Amino acid sequence: SFENEGDTLTGIYRSVKTVEQDGLEPGTKRDVNIYTIETSDGTKYGVWGNYNVDLAMSVIEVGTEVQFEFNGKVPIDNGAKTVNQ
C-alpha cells in the first residue's frame, strides 16, 4: 500500500472501471476510474484515477506492465482534506 513517499506498485494493467462517487461540492457526483493492477504474486490492487493518472493511463494498453510511485499527499478543499498525488 502507499504509505510512504517513494512506495511503488508494479504489475500488469488488467482493467479499468468507472464508478460514481461524491464530488467535492456537496450534492454533486463525479465519475472516477479505478485501474486494476495485478502484481507478480497474483494480488490485484485498485488504483484510483485522478487527472495525472487518467492522462498517463489513457495511452497504455491493457496487459502492459506499469509502475506507480507514491509522491505524498496534497491538500484539497482549502486544506480540509488531503489526497494522494
Side-chain angles (χ1 to χ4, degrees), residues 12-17 34-38 45 57 62-63:
I12 304 298
Y13 169 34
R14 293 296 182 200
S15 65
V16 60
K17 69 178 176 179
I34 302 175
Y35 301 91
T36 300
I37 310 301
E38 185 176 359
Y45 294 90
M57 294 299 288
V62 170

Side-chain angles (χ1 to χ4, degrees), residues 2 10 12 14 17 20-22 24-25 28 30 32-33 36 38 44 51 53-57 59 61 72 81 84-85:
F2 293 127
T10 302
I12 304 298
R14 293 296 182 200
K17 69 178 176 179
E20 187 178 84
Q21 78 171 64
D22 291 336
L24 295 176
E25 299 296 322
T28 64
R30 67 184 188 116
V32 178
N33 292 323
T36 300
E38 185 176 359
K44 293 182 180 179
Y51 177 80
V53 171
D54 291 338
L55 185 63
M57 294 299 288
V59 296
E61 294 183 21
K81 301 176 189 173
N84 293 347
Q85 69 173 357

Side-chain angles (χ1 to χ4, degrees), residues 2-6 69-74 82-85:
F2 293 127
E3 295 179 12
N4 302 303
E5 287 187 36
E69 181 176 345
F70 179 57
N71 293 318
K73 294 182 178 278
V74 294
T82 60
V83 295
N84 293 347
Q85 69 173 357

